[in-house]
Amino acid sequence: MATAPAWTPAEPLIRIADVHKAFGAVTVLSGVSLEVMKGEVICVIGPSGSGKSTLLRCINALVPIEKGSIQVEGQEVNDPKLDKLALRRKVGMVFQQYNLFPHKTALQNVMMAPVHVLREDKAEVEARARRLLKKVRLEGKEASYPGELSGGQQQRVAIARSLAMNPDVMLFDEVTAALDPETVKEVLVTIRELAEEGMTCLIVTHEMGFAREVAGHIYFTDRGVIVEHGPPKEFFANARDPRTQQFLSQIL
Amino acid sequence: MGAGHAHSRILAGVIANRSDLPVVLPFRLGAGTGAAGAWRPGPPHAVALAIALAVFVVVGDAQAAPGTPSILTTLLKWTPLLATGFLLNIAISFIAMAAGTVAGTFLGLMQISLLAPVRGVAWFFTQFFRNAPWLVLLFYCMLLLPFELQIGGTVIPLPAWMKATAGLALAVMANVSELVRGAVQSIPFGQWEASEALAFSRRQTLWMIILPQCVKRMLPPWMNLYAILVVGTALASIVGVNESMTLTGDILAAENRTELLVPMYLYLLLWFFAYCYPIARATVSLERRFQVR
């Protein structure tokens, strides 16, 4: 956008300010503000239905917002003239239900978007896709179809698929919620490696142990607002708000 | 047995779902919605047909006036002619299916358009042609289409069989349109969402991600529709197309032997059965294969 001010890494990569969103009569977000700096790992926790997933979908414009502002690298997402495709190239997203394309192999799943959306050279993309699959420990599964893979393997293909677009930030939407307990770990390990490499991550999760370990900052949402936030040590040790205390006592 | 007693027994039968009395059982829609998909030929049908044909051949031969050729010889004598008629049935079914599928795919895609007027028009045409009796469509095409088309200086004749094909193609189009719409809508929403998040455009999503998954889902009902269409081509005899059904009538008129009537039509039925049964088998096995997801 010509009107967008130049963004520098010193400013927040994602800046969410007073965002409101309702589905019909149901209010999902009522004044959420949050900032993510480049290289930061943010975890958002909170009870089901508190608007966490909706917040993520607002960031890459899958869901429009009614009021407030969301900026990704200085670009206003709520702008009607927004180039959605340009935004989505910067923002990778991984879903709870993986949503892999069942008619394509793991390798093809990873290659599709760079080849057809970014129109990159096929041989180059293939080399990158193989590298990414290796990185998520799926070497040898390139030719497997999603139906032939376990949930954890599918989710790691989905992570590789998203990474293939070379995004600046990754959004994880309860990516382990649909997995068997024994496969949860392999996915979390993959995400932690990404975080350690400096990838900016915004993670919605129910895995408290993981959040404590990986997050630089934790946000707790309930009924469409951010109740409390802070560094994990402080957040888990001395939660001040009664709602947070109650939630943590139920989970931990 | 009193009327009241019988009545209570019927009720009990309905409730228990089993009764030796003729009761109306609860009606359950099959997997294939709509009229299509209900009837499928199976091996018992083939055996029944063959037995019926054999019985009528034997009985017919016994009734025949002395000196007339046997029924089997007569059937064999007319087989080449019947075959040419049957070939026309197949040709009509091929062309109607191809044209109807192409047109129906576009109509179906229009039904899921983001533009409400496009959706509305597509919905209207789909419902109009899907709910019209095939015979009515045939009559309309016979009467409304000219016998020849003049484009520039060239005159293209439009024989009756071509007009009948157009009528059947309209019916196929409307059914395929619904197949496409239903298949697209049966794909989980997450597929759209994931494609969107990967920056695919709507058109790319549709052609590269959604429709390829639809083909698999649509193939069995599409083959089913084809089998029904083949049987339906016999309707063209009513509007005067020289296909196998018409020819069977002509043969019977020429032979003028009443004992030939039933064997001849049974023979024709066997032709259709022999053609449609493998399609039905393939459809069932495909359905079974695709069920595993």
Side-chain angles (χ1 to χ4, degrees):
Chain A
M1 292 272 114
T3 51
W7 173 81
T8 62
E11 300 167 45
L13 202 156
I14 298 175
R15 176 184 276 155
I16 300 171
D18 194 33
V19 164
H20 290 251
K21 172 70 192 172
F23 292 110
V26 184
T27 307
V28 186
L29 301 173
S30 41
V32 171
S33 300
L34 185 156
E35 284 183 355
V36 186
M37 300 299 290
K38 185 171 164 47
E40 235 188 337
V41 177
I42 304 286
C43 282
V44 181
I45 61 172
S48 305
S50 59
K52 308 182 298 289
S53 295
T54 307
L55 184 66
L56 287 193
R57 281 167 170 73
C58 290
I59 293 171
N60 68 352
L62 284 179
V63 172
I65 59 172
E66 271 129 38
K67 204 183 133 205
S69 155
I70 296 178
Q71 286 184 1
V72 176
E73 295 185 356
Q75 190 178 58
E76 178 58 55
V77 173
N78 205 18
D79 185 347
K81 287 178 297 184
L82 165 81
D83 180 357
K84 284 189 184 170
L85 301 189
L87 169 75
R88 287 167 186 159
R89 285 171 201 179
K90 285 188 245 170
V91 183
M93 184 157 184
V94 185
F95 299 87
Q96 181 177 343
Q97 298 294 342
Y98 344 126
N99 297 344
L100 291 180
F101 306 134
H103 60 302
K104 299 281 182 185
T105 63
L107 186 67
Q108 289 168 334
N109 262 282
V110 178
M111 287 176 64
M112 259 183 107
V115 169
H116 295 289
V117 176
L118 303 180
R119 311 228 171 261
E120 289 181 37
D121 178 65
K122 209 171 170 181
E124 249 169 62
V125 173
E126 183 172 336
R128 186 163 84 223
R130 287 185 186 280
R131 228 173 28 241
L132 284 168
L133 283 173
K134 193 176 168 188
K135 183 185 162 81
V136 297
R137 295 189 184 80
L138 286 173
E139 213 178 4
K141 296 287 182 189
E142 289 87 355
S144 303
Y145 285 88
E148 300 163 346
L149 299 173
S150 75
Q153 291 172 329
Q154 288 190 58
Q155 194 59 291
R156 283 181 283 151
V157 174
I159 293 172
R161 179 176 72 170
S162 206
L163 289 173
M165 295 289 277
N166 285 326
D168 293 342
V169 55
M170 289 283 283
L171 311 177
F172 294 93
D173 182 17
E174 296 189 25
V175 291
T176 56
L179 297 178
D180 296 330
E182 55 273 28
T183 57
V184 166
K185 204 176 160 204
E186 61 194 35
V187 173
L188 294 183
V189 165
T190 304
I191 299 175
R192 191 173 56 209
E193 282 173 1
L194 269 181
E196 282 163 1
E197 284 166 22
M199 172 61 80
T200 314
C201 297
L202 186 50
I203 304 167
V204 167
T205 185
H206 285 299
E207 301 284 337
M208 293 304 139
F210 173 69
R212 190 205 305 254
E213 194 185 326
V214 79
H217 209 81
I218 291 187
Y219 284 79
F220 174 71
T221 62
D222 189 22
R223 281 173 248 162
V225 292
I226 287 172
V227 177
E228 192 164 355
H229 64 94
K233 245 186 191 163
E234 200 179 304
F235 177 86
F236 283 106
N238 334 293
R240 276 156 296 163
D241 194 279
R243 276 193 275 179
T244 319
Q245 288 165 353
Q246 196 202 350
F247 178 76
L248 289 178
S249 69
Q250 280 167 356
I251 293 276
L252 297 175
Chain B
M1 187 163 59
H5 181 59
H7 182 67
S8 66
R9 271 197 60 191
I10 290 172
L11 273 182
V14 171
I15 292 159
N17 233 350
R18 55 194 155 80
S19 165
D20 49 348
L21 290 168
V23 293
V24 181
L25 291 173
F27 179 69
R28 205 167 58 85
L29 274 177
T33 47
W39 188 83
R40 251 185 216 153
H45 298 102
V47 174
L49 267 180
I51 291 173
L53 186 61
V55 166
F56 277 101
V57 165
V58 172
V59 172
D61 275 336
Q63 289 174 333
T68 49
S70 81
I71 289 180
L72 270 183
T73 347
T74 318
L75 290 184
L76 281 178
K77 185 178 80 179
W78 291 110
T79 296
L81 181 67
L82 210 55
T84 59
F86 193 71
L87 271 179
L88 184 57
N89 285 79
I90 301 306
I92 290 174
S93 74
F94 262 64
I95 300 169
M97 198 65 192
T101 300
V102 171
T105 303
F106 281 100
L107 198 61
L109 290 177
M110 282 166 68
Q111 279 205 88
I112 51 160
S113 165
L114 290 177
L115 303 168
V118 175
R119 263 199 323 267
V121 168
W123 176 85
F124 175 81
F125 277 104
T126 301
Q127 293 307 318
F128 183 83
F129 288 116
R130 208 165 89 97
N131 295 303
W134 290 22
L135 196 52
V136 175
L137 292 178
L138 281 180
F139 269 109
Y140 265 109
C141 282
M142 292 319 263
L143 300 174
L144 289 180
L145 292 177
F147 66 93
E148 58 181 30
L149 274 179
Q150 206 164 356
I151 300 169
T154 48
V155 175
I156 303 164
L158 273 185
W161 72 267
M162 239 184 229
K163 292 200 256 180
T165 306
L168 292 171
L170 284 176
V172 172
M173 173 191 76
N175 279 285
V176 169
S177 169
E178 278 295 86
L179 279 184
V180 170
R181 185 193 59 77
V184 168
Q185 288 180 348
S186 76
I187 302 293
F189 179 69
Q191 293 287 310
W192 286 96
E193 213 176 26
S195 315
E196 231 185 315
L198 285 168
F200 283 101
S201 67
R202 185 180 156 85
R203 174 175 297 212
Q204 282 178 320
T205 305
L206 195 59
W207 287 97
M208 294 167 65
I209 290 146
I210 305 298
L211 287 179
Q213 296 183 54
C214 290
V215 171
K216 207 167 132 179
R217 288 169 192 229
M218 279 172 19
L219 200 58
W222 182 80
M223 286 163 65
N224 213 7
L225 179 64
Y226 178 67
I228 290 167
L229 171 68
V230 171
V231 177
T233 55
L235 287 172
S237 67
I238 299 173
V239 289
V241 177
N242 266 332
E243 46 69 75
S244 56
M245 185 75 183
T246 310
L247 289 178
T248 306
D250 292 350
I251 292 166
L252 286 169
E255 285 283 343
N256 197 20
R257 286 164 59 188
T258 45
E259 76 273 13
L260 213 55
L261 197 72
V262 175
M264 201 70 210
Y265 278 116
L266 273 175
Y267 186 49
L268 178 62
L269 233 164
L270 265 179
W271 278 76
F272 276 99
F273 185 91
Y275 187 77
C276 290
Y277 180 62
I279 300 174
R281 290 301 306 170
T283 309
V284 170
S285 76
L286 274 181
E287 271 173 5
R288 219 170 275 153
R289 238 183 72 197
F290 292 163
Q291 230 168 28
V292 198
R293 256 181 59 91

PDB file of all heavy atoms in Angstrom, chain A residues 183-199:
ATOM      1  N   THR A 183       1.057 -37.942  20.251  1.00  0.00           N
ATOM      2  CA  THR A 183       1.611 -37.209  19.115  1.00  0.00           C
ATOM      3  C   THR A 183       1.692 -35.712  19.379  1.00  0.00           C
ATOM      4  O   THR A 183       2.229 -34.967  18.569  1.00  0.00           O
ATOM      5  CB  THR A 183       0.780 -37.458  17.846  1.00  0.00           C
ATOM      6  OG1 THR A 183      -0.559 -37.078  18.106  1.00  0.00           O
ATOM      7  CG2 THR A 183       0.834 -38.901  17.409  1.00  0.00           C
ATOM      8  N   VAL A 184       1.124 -35.267  20.489  1.00  0.00           N
ATOM      9  CA  VAL A 184       1.150 -33.839  20.812  1.00  0.00           C
ATOM     10  C   VAL A 184       2.593 -33.348  20.898  1.00  0.00           C
ATOM     11  O   VAL A 184       2.959 -32.313  20.358  1.00  0.00           O
ATOM     12  CB  VAL A 184       0.400 -33.569  22.142  1.00  0.00           C
ATOM     13  CG1 VAL A 184       0.719 -32.175  22.657  1.00  0.00           C
ATOM     14  CG2 VAL A 184      -1.097 -33.717  21.945  1.00  0.00           C
ATOM     15  N   LYS A 185       3.419 -34.168  21.545  1.00  0.00           N
ATOM     16  CA  LYS A 185       4.777 -33.736  21.844  1.00  0.00           C
ATOM     17  C   LYS A 185       5.576 -33.423  20.583  1.00  0.00           C
ATOM     18  O   LYS A 185       6.267 -32.405  20.503  1.00  0.00           O
ATOM     19  CB  LYS A 185       5.487 -34.811  22.676  1.00  0.00           C
ATOM     20  CG  LYS A 185       6.617 -34.216  23.485  1.00  0.00           C
ATOM     21  CD  LYS A 185       7.267 -35.242  24.385  1.00  0.00           C
ATOM     22  CE  LYS A 185       8.656 -34.750  24.779  1.00  0.00           C
ATOM     23  NZ  LYS A 185       9.538 -35.837  25.142  1.00  0.00           N
ATOM     24  N   GLU A 186       5.450 -34.318  19.580  1.00  0.00           N
ATOM     25  CA  GLU A 186       6.252 -34.127  18.370  1.00  0.00           C
ATOM     26  C   GLU A 186       5.908 -32.801  17.667  1.00  0.00           C
ATOM     27  O   GLU A 186       6.773 -32.155  17.087  1.00  0.00           O
ATOM     28  CB  GLU A 186       6.061 -35.314  17.419  1.00  0.00           C
ATOM     29  CG  GLU A 186       4.637 -35.522  16.941  1.00  0.00           C
ATOM     30  CD  GLU A 186       4.433 -36.891  16.282  1.00  0.00           C
ATOM     31  OE1 GLU A 186       5.070 -37.875  16.747  1.00  0.00           O
ATOM     32  OE2 GLU A 186       3.659 -36.967  15.317  1.00  0.00           O
ATOM     33  N   VAL A 187       4.643 -32.400  17.777  1.00  0.00           N
ATOM     34  CA  VAL A 187       4.247 -31.131  17.166  1.00  0.00           C
ATOM     35  C   VAL A 187       4.791 -29.960  17.990  1.00  0.00           C
ATOM     36  O   VAL A 187       5.305 -28.983  17.437  1.00  0.00           O
ATOM     37  CB  VAL A 187       2.708 -31.049  17.036  1.00  0.00           C
ATOM     38  CG1 VAL A 187       2.280 -29.672  16.566  1.00  0.00           C
ATOM     39  CG2 VAL A 187       2.203 -32.112  16.080  1.00  0.00           C
ATOM     40  N   LEU A 188       4.687 -30.094  19.318  1.00  0.00           N
ATOM     41  CA  LEU A 188       5.178 -29.012  20.175  1.00  0.00           C
ATOM     42  C   LEU A 188       6.691 -28.826  20.016  1.00  0.00           C
ATOM     43  O   LEU A 188       7.189 -27.698  20.001  1.00  0.00           O
ATOM     44  CB  LEU A 188       4.830 -29.304  21.639  1.00  0.00           C
ATOM     45  CG  LEU A 188       3.326 -29.288  21.955  1.00  0.00           C
ATOM     46  CD1 LEU A 188       3.090 -29.519  23.440  1.00  0.00           C
ATOM     47  CD2 LEU A 188       2.684 -27.971  21.507  1.00  0.00           C
ATOM     48  N   VAL A 189       7.404 -29.948  19.868  1.00  0.00           N
ATOM     49  CA  VAL A 189       8.849 -29.861  19.667  1.00  0.00           C
ATOM     50  C   VAL A 189       9.153 -29.060  18.399  1.00  0.00           C
ATOM     51  O   VAL A 189      10.029 -28.185  18.375  1.00  0.00           O
ATOM     52  CB  VAL A 189       9.463 -31.284  19.593  1.00  0.00           C
ATOM     53  CG1 VAL A 189      10.872 -31.235  19.023  1.00  0.00           C
ATOM     54  CG2 VAL A 189       9.482 -31.920  20.973  1.00  0.00           C
ATOM     55  N   THR A 190       8.399 -29.344  17.354  1.00  0.00           N
ATOM     56  CA  THR A 190       8.588 -28.628  16.088  1.00  0.00           C
ATOM     57  C   THR A 190       8.365 -27.128  16.270  1.00  0.00           C
ATOM     58  O   THR A 190       9.155 -26.301  15.793  1.00  0.00           O
ATOM     59  CB  THR A 190       7.602 -29.167  15.029  1.00  0.00           C
ATOM     60  OG1 THR A 190       7.793 -30.571  14.902  1.00  0.00           O
ATOM     61  CG2 THR A 190       7.822 -28.499  13.689  1.00  0.00           C
ATOM     62  N   ILE A 191       7.303 -26.773  16.988  1.00  0.00           N
ATOM     63  CA  ILE A 191       6.999 -25.357  17.183  1.00  0.00           C
ATOM     64  C   ILE A 191       8.091 -24.698  18.039  1.00  0.00           C
ATOM     65  O   ILE A 191       8.527 -23.574  17.764  1.00  0.00           O
ATOM     66  CB  ILE A 191       5.618 -25.171  17.853  1.00  0.00           C
ATOM     67  CG1 ILE A 191       4.526 -25.756  16.947  1.00  0.00           C
ATOM     68  CG2 ILE A 191       5.333 -23.699  18.111  1.00  0.00           C
ATOM     69  CD1 ILE A 191       3.156 -25.720  17.562  1.00  0.00           C
ATOM     70  N   ARG A 192       8.559 -25.433  19.054  1.00  0.00           N
ATOM     71  CA  ARG A 192       9.572 -24.847  19.919  1.00  0.00           C
ATOM     72  C   ARG A 192      10.859 -24.580  19.140  1.00  0.00           C
ATOM     73  O   ARG A 192      11.500 -23.543  19.306  1.00  0.00           O
ATOM     74  CB  ARG A 192       9.860 -25.773  21.102  1.00  0.00           C
ATOM     75  CG  ARG A 192      10.719 -25.079  22.156  1.00  0.00           C
ATOM     76  CD  ARG A 192      10.872 -25.899  23.391  1.00  0.00           C
ATOM     77  NE  ARG A 192      11.424 -27.202  23.078  1.00  0.00           N
ATOM     78  CZ  ARG A 192      11.179 -28.299  23.790  1.00  0.00           C
ATOM     79  NH1 ARG A 192      10.395 -28.235  24.831  1.00  0.00           N
ATOM     80  NH2 ARG A 192      11.711 -29.449  23.459  1.00  0.00           N
ATOM     81  N   GLU A 193      11.215 -25.506  18.256  1.00  0.00           N
ATOM     82  CA  GLU A 193      12.404 -25.292  17.423  1.00  0.00           C
ATOM     83  C   GLU A 193      12.274 -24.038  16.572  1.00  0.00           C
ATOM     84  O   GLU A 193      13.205 -23.258  16.423  1.00  0.00           O
ATOM     85  CB  GLU A 193      12.636 -26.510  16.532  1.00  0.00           C
ATOM     86  CG  GLU A 193      13.266 -27.664  17.282  1.00  0.00           C
ATOM     87  CD  GLU A 193      13.332 -28.930  16.451  1.00  0.00           C
ATOM     88  OE1 GLU A 193      12.904 -28.888  15.272  1.00  0.00           O
ATOM     89  OE2 GLU A 193      13.802 -29.935  16.977  1.00  0.00           O
ATOM     90  N   LEU A 194      11.070 -23.875  16.027  1.00  0.00           N
ATOM     91  CA  LEU A 194      10.806 -22.678  15.213  1.00  0.00           C
ATOM     92  C   LEU A 194      11.013 -21.424  16.048  1.00  0.00           C
ATOM     93  O   LEU A 194      11.640 -20.454  15.615  1.00  0.00           O
ATOM     94  CB  LEU A 194       9.352 -22.698  14.732  1.00  0.00           C
ATOM     95  CG  LEU A 194       9.047 -23.349  13.405  1.00  0.00           C
ATOM     96  CD1 LEU A 194       7.562 -23.220  13.136  1.00  0.00           C
ATOM     97  CD2 LEU A 194       9.845 -22.675  12.314  1.00  0.00           C
ATOM     98  N   ALA A 195      10.434 -21.460  17.250  1.00  0.00           N
ATOM     99  CA  ALA A 195      10.524 -20.296  18.131  1.00  0.00           C
ATOM    100  C   ALA A 195      11.976 -19.996  18.470  1.00  0.00           C
ATOM    101  O   ALA A 195      12.402 -18.832  18.474  1.00  0.00           O
ATOM    102  CB  ALA A 195       9.713 -20.549  19.398  1.00  0.00           C
ATOM    103  N   GLU A 196      12.743 -21.062  18.730  1.00  0.00           N
ATOM    104  CA  GLU A 196      14.147 -20.868  19.095  1.00  0.00           C
ATOM    105  C   GLU A 196      14.949 -20.297  17.940  1.00  0.00           C
ATOM    106  O   GLU A 196      15.966 -19.624  18.126  1.00  0.00           O
ATOM    107  CB  GLU A 196      14.745 -22.195  19.578  1.00  0.00           C
ATOM    108  CG  GLU A 196      14.335 -22.533  21.014  1.00  0.00           C
ATOM    109  CD  GLU A 196      14.566 -23.989  21.370  1.00  0.00           C
ATOM    110  OE1 GLU A 196      15.061 -24.741  20.508  1.00  0.00           O
ATOM    111  OE2 GLU A 196      14.228 -24.365  22.502  1.00  0.00           O
ATOM    112  N   GLU A 197      14.494 -20.588  16.713  1.00  0.00           N
ATOM    113  CA  GLU A 197      15.198 -20.050  15.539  1.00  0.00           C
ATOM    114  C   GLU A 197      14.863 -18.586  15.309  1.00  0.00           C
ATOM    115  O   GLU A 197      15.384 -17.972  14.381  1.00  0.00           O
ATOM    116  CB  GLU A 197      14.821 -20.846  14.293  1.00  0.00           C
ATOM    117  CG  GLU A 197      15.500 -22.197  14.221  1.00  0.00           C
ATOM    118  CD  GLU A 197      14.868 -23.096  13.184  1.00  0.00           C
ATOM    119  OE1 GLU A 197      14.204 -22.562  12.266  1.00  0.00           O
ATOM    120  OE2 GLU A 197      15.018 -24.316  13.302  1.00  0.00           O
ATOM    121  N   GLY A 198      13.940 -18.056  16.094  1.00  0.00           N
ATOM    122  CA  GLY A 198      13.649 -16.637  15.970  1.00  0.00           C
ATOM    123  C   GLY A 198      12.390 -16.322  15.181  1.00  0.00           C
ATOM    124  O   GLY A 198      12.122 -15.160  14.868  1.00  0.00           O
ATOM    125  N   MET A 199      11.607 -17.365  14.843  1.00  0.00           N
ATOM    126  CA  MET A 199      10.349 -17.105  14.138  1.00  0.00           C
ATOM    127  C   MET A 199       9.362 -16.431  15.084  1.00  0.00           C
ATOM    128  O   MET A 199       9.216 -16.845  16.243  1.00  0.00           O
ATOM    129  CB  MET A 199       9.768 -18.436  13.632  1.00  0.00           C
ATOM    130  CG  MET A 199       8.373 -18.353  13.052  1.00  0.00           C
ATOM    131  SD  MET A 199       8.212 -17.283  11.601  1.00  0.00           S
ATOM    132  CE  MET A 199       8.828 -18.343  10.298  1.00  0.00           C
TER     133      MET A 199
END
